[in-house]
Amino acid sequence: MKSRRMRALALALAAAALAGCSAAGPAPAAAPKAAGSEVLACEDWLVRQSARSAALLEELAGGYTPQAPLVVPDPYGAAPLTALVLFDTEKPCTVEIAIPGDTESASFRHAFGQEGTRHQIPVYGLYPGRVNPVQLTLAYQDGSVETVTVPIATDPLPDYLVPYEATVTQHESADGELLYMAMATDTVYPFAVDANGDVRWYASDNAFSGGIFRRLENGRYLGFSSPLYAPAFLRPGVVELDRMGRVYREYLHDLIHHDAIELPGGNLLALTVKSDSQLTTGGMTVGLDRIVELDRATGAEVRGWDLNELCGYTAGDVAEGRYLHCNALWYSEADDAILVSAASACCVIKLDAATGEVVWALADPRRGYPEPIQSKILTPAGEGFEWQALQHAVMLAENGDVLMLDNGTGRLGENGEPVPDLENYSRLLRLRVNEEQGTVEQIYQYGKERGNELFAAYLGDVDELGPGHYLLTAGGRILNEDGTASGTVLDAYMGIKATEAKIVEIRDGQVVFEVHVGGGGRFANIYRAEWASVYAPGEGEYDLQAAGKRSGTLLPSARVEFRLPENPLKLENFSAQPTDQGYQLSVPVQAELGQGDTLLLELRRGDTALYYSAAGATGAQALVRAAGLEAGEYERALAPARTDGRVYYAPLGCRWNCGG
């Protein structure tokens, strides 16, 4: 059988069907030994970052002054245009920072507020490839003021940053903002530009894992845990982190995807997938949507909503490809309700959080929905109304109107047939719902007039920046050879066609800022984009003593029943990049596999061998949870099984200290 190359970093973690244990029989075959079998270093980011913070505090004790401070560029190795400036003063003082920009709108100032003698000053918004003259103003209790300039040098932008082009007309940035762009994948890192379109922040580490990048009430950000599962958007949790990439909290909960938000009381609301009792792709499907509320202190699930059950979707519907595939959440505190975007169903649903009842639905009734939705579809009112399709980023405006990105993929024309790609469009859509009358009215749209030029078949975002002032992110434009946009999303997922994104800021119907991300055949798309102040309102000085914490629980990994035969064949032409993440072992693999072959990861301890699936449709990645495993060191190996019955073997050359 002709073999095919499997991609290295998985977009998918494939099927490992069954529960059960290790090798069948009393003892497995003796395994070939790996030369130089050393213990794999633990890469748990909480442990690593805690050690880094402790080292900086120890160094600070050596005595640094405002005139000769300890300057630490990119302290956590995740955001090269950030820095820490550390020093002590003899008398208590407050500190104000100024980062000069090329123009006034690209300059940043912030007063930290708290008074003391030990100062840990976070620096954000540096320019790349230059020496930045950062100014610190110290105000003492006696009224005296001291100003020092701290030069901070940065490297030029790296080649891995996706190309972009910004067009600025009249963007106004009153409080020193950056436009943050969160990419949809781990392999394309996010970045941010200022009011002039210049890069002033970017990530170099998957701490800023693909997807959400929401600012929390405490000024930090909410992001996804890493790594990916299959499908590509499933995650083992969410993290609370700052713009240096330092993680303060990680909330573990299996199969979180697409969106998570902060509730008024501080808890988190997240989209997840209903799964079996073990981590196995046999229980993973985009059709089994759930919403969970997670306790902010413990990470425990407070309550959950099974969306298939509430919306009337059966297992048969899901098996036949009729499912919700939710991609966005919003919470309405006024009536304790949840807005959820069901992209594949081209439907926006409002749920009563207390009862789970569908309050209303925004959906084209011609598509046909289960009864809990069909009977709650609102009736269009007014002129010019068009239903949305494959929408993203549903939210409520300040006055309660519904905002969303109407991607348009699968849009039905007046004849009930899908609109051709070249005639299709994506648009920012604002709707007004009258619950008493059961009607919906289209208040505003932008994008239809630009046609295919702004058509993004998938991904994207919208924001209300003020009255008549919006930000539209056409996040996933799939490019044909002639530069037009395709509506075939699978071409992007399979890497067949290049992708790009366009971000457009509109004020009173006029474009005032536009960013085009992509080009040169690169895979570039944006899941979320937002203008945000460089320093959060009321943000204080940095705290190196703050400890990172992890809470919540994950499913144990499902094991595969397998017995290694005597004298297996040697596996050639493969590579593996194992990472000990503390709570799990992640092993992305590249190997020559034939159609239908399987790839197993072996963990061996003494006479016990445990096997886990590492096969994927477009790549290979094994995830082995520490939960349920006896603590200790395990030898690791790969054991591909061919469809012709032959079994290969490859020791990986190092051991995993589970629970160590």
Side-chain angles (χ1 to χ4, degrees):
M1 179 176 294
K2 186 178 180 180
S3 65
R4 58 186 175 89
R5 174 71 60 180
M6 307 284 282
R7 282 196 208 157
L9 187 57
L11 292 178
L13 172 65
L18 77 101
C21 266
S22 56
K33 294 294 183 183
S37 184
E38 299 179 353
V39 175
L40 186 67
C42 180
E43 294 295 330
D44 185 334
W45 52 17
L46 294 183
V47 174
R48 185 176 69 244
Q49 292 179 352
S50 177
R52 176 60 170 156
S53 297
L56 291 176
L57 282 170
E58 183 177 357
E59 176 68 16
L60 178 58
Y64 290 88
T65 67
Q67 296 75 25
L70 174 60
V71 180
V72 188
D74 190 11
Y76 297 97
L81 301 184
T82 68
L84 276 174
V85 178
L86 310 175
F87 58 89
D88 292 324
T89 56
E90 294 182 358
K91 299 180 296 181
C93 69
T94 60
V95 178
E96 180 178 316
I97 189 171
I99 300 103
D102 290 344
T103 63
E104 183 60 30
S105 63
S107 300
F108 313 130
R109 302 185 68 91
H110 181 74
F112 292 100
Q114 68 254 55
E115 193 174 60
T117 57
R118 168 149 294 184
H119 300 280
Q120 304 171 19
I121 306 302
V123 182
Y124 305 118
L126 298 172
Y127 282 100
R130 68 170 76 170
V131 176
N132 295 261
V134 175
Q135 297 176 356
L136 300 179
T137 300
L138 286 60
Y140 295 93
Q141 291 177 335
D142 60 6
S144 61
V145 175
E146 179 183 10
T147 299
V148 296
T149 299
V150 181
I152 302 179
T154 57
D155 292 330
L157 293 176
D159 292 337
Y160 65 72
L161 200 67
V162 293
Y164 79 99
E165 181 179 349
T167 302
V168 183
T169 304
Q170 53 181 19
H171 174 79
E172 297 177 1
S173 179
D175 57 353
E177 294 179 320
L178 293 180
L179 177 61
Y180 291 89
M181 291 167 272
M183 304 302 178
T185 67
D186 281 355
T187 54
V188 183
Y189 293 146
F191 67 100
V193 298
D194 63 19
N196 297 325
D198 295 320
V199 172
R200 305 289 292 276
W201 179 90
Y202 69 92
S204 61
D205 183 89
N206 67 359
F208 302 96
S209 206
I212 56 173
F213 194 44
R214 293 186 182 276
R215 178 171 276 177
L216 299 167
E217 284 295 318
N218 61 12
R220 297 171 187 159
Y221 281 83
L222 188 65
F224 283 130
S225 297
S226 188
L228 300 166
Y229 297 141
F233 42 74
L234 296 174
R235 304 297 182 122
V238 293
V239 293
E240 179 183 317
L241 74 169
D242 63 27
R243 281 141 296 168
M244 293 187 189
R246 182 184 179 192
V247 176
Y248 295 84
R249 290 295 303 268
E250 182 168 25
Y251 301 92
L252 298 179
H253 191 289
D254 264 307
L255 313 182
I256 283 179
H257 64 90
H258 281 93
D259 208 358
I261 61 176
E262 183 179 26
L263 294 173
N267 284 353
L268 302 176
L269 199 67
L271 288 169
T272 183
V273 173
K274 186 177 181 180
S275 63
D276 298 329
S277 59
Q278 292 181 310
L279 180 64
T280 162
T281 54
M284 295 184 194
T285 170
V286 295
L288 301 180
D289 283 289
R290 292 185 73 233
I291 301 173
V292 294
E293 180 182 348
L294 302 179
D295 186 278
R296 191 68 170 273
T298 66
E301 184 174 320
V302 177
R303 52 180 176 167
W305 298 262
D306 186 327
L307 293 172
N308 275 15
E309 179 181 337
L310 296 174
C311 296
Y313 283 84
T314 66
D317 290 327
V318 175
E320 294 177 10
R322 296 188 300 274
Y323 48 77
L324 297 168
H325 181 53
C326 298
N327 63 8
L329 285 171
W330 196 263
Y331 179 71
S332 172
E333 185 177 10
D335 50 3
D336 188 27
I338 300 170
L339 266 65
V340 59
S341 166
S344 292
C346 298
C347 180
V348 175
I349 303 161
K350 181 177 180 179
L351 291 176
D352 184 308
T355 66
E357 179 185 358
V358 176
V359 179
W360 49 251
L362 295 170
D364 189 335
R366 295 176 295 176
R367 298 182 186 275
Y369 294 89
E371 180 50 35
I373 294 178
Q374 189 77 24
S375 63
K376 298 297 179 69
I377 294 177
L378 298 169
T379 301
E383 298 180 355
F385 186 90
E386 293 180 86
W387 289 112
Q388 80 283 350
L390 202 79
Q391 70 288 328
H392 282 72
V394 170
M395 62 175 291
L396 292 179
E398 286 292 327
N399 69 346
D401 285 351
V402 178
L403 291 176
M404 71 184 80
L405 177 69
D406 170 16
N407 290 77
T409 305
R411 187 187 309 282
L412 298 181
E414 292 183 3
N415 60 0
E417 296 297 320
V419 174
D421 289 349
L422 292 181
E423 300 175 16
N424 212 343
Y425 46 88
S426 299
R427 58 189 183 140
L428 180 153
L429 182 60
R430 184 176 189 135
L431 302 176
R432 184 162 298 160
V433 172
N434 187 320
E435 290 191 7
E436 292 184 2
Q437 296 180 9
T439 60
V440 57
E441 181 181 2
Q442 181 172 306
I443 301 300
Y444 179 77
Q445 75 83 35
Y446 177 87
K448 181 178 181 178
E449 61 271 39
R450 294 182 62 168
N452 183 270
E453 183 240 340
L454 208 58
F455 177 43
Y458 72 131
L459 303 177
D461 193 12
V462 295
D463 287 300
E464 181 184 35
L465 305 179
H469 193 185
Y470 302 97
L471 189 69
L472 181 161
T473 302
R477 288 176 38 78
I478 305 166
L479 299 179
N480 299 316
E481 290 185 359
D482 62 0
T484 59
S486 164
T488 306
V489 177
L490 189 61
D491 286 348
Y493 282 132
M494 299 301 293
I496 297 172
K497 294 183 178 180
T499 59
E500 68 174 13
K502 290 185 177 181
I503 304 173
V504 185
E505 182 182 347
I506 312 106
R507 184 187 293 116
D508 299 326
Q510 301 299 313
V511 175
V512 298
F513 193 98
E514 186 161 334
V515 180
H516 173 198
V517 180
R522 299 279 292 273
F523 184 85
N525 51 43
I526 296 175
Y527 190 61
R528 293 281 189 267
E530 66 174 90
W531 283 106
S533 58
V534 173
Y535 291 90
E539 182 172 342
E541 293 188 14
Y542 212 70
D543 184 5
L544 288 169
Q545 292 181 312
K549 298 179 181 179
R550 179 175 287 126
S551 57
T553 57
L554 292 172
L555 300 173
S557 299
R559 299 173 189 169
V560 177
E561 195 168 323
F562 179 76
R563 182 178 178 83
L564 186 71
E566 296 286 348
N567 302 316
L569 300 173
K570 183 180 180 181
L571 177 65
E572 305 283 357
N573 301 321
F574 79 96
S575 63
Q577 297 177 313
T579 302
D580 179 359
Q581 295 177 302
Y583 60 88
Q584 68 181 7
L585 175 69
S586 172
V587 188
V589 180
Q590 184 176 6
E592 292 279 355
L593 292 181
Q595 186 72 36
D597 293 349
T598 60
L599 180 62
L600 302 178
L601 174 71
E602 178 192 84
L603 294 184
R604 180 180 291 264
R605 191 177 186 208
D607 291 335
T608 300
L610 312 175
Y611 293 93
Y612 302 86
S613 172
T618 57
Q621 183 177 17
L623 295 172
V624 182
R625 295 284 162 69
L629 282 177
E630 183 180 351
E633 293 184 4
Y634 290 81
E635 299 283 348
R636 299 173 306 102
L638 297 175
R642 304 294 192 190
T643 52
D644 60 9
R646 292 179 296 170
V647 175
Y648 291 70
Y649 195 80
L652 291 183
C654 56
R655 302 187 304 279
W656 178 39
N657 187 8
C658 175

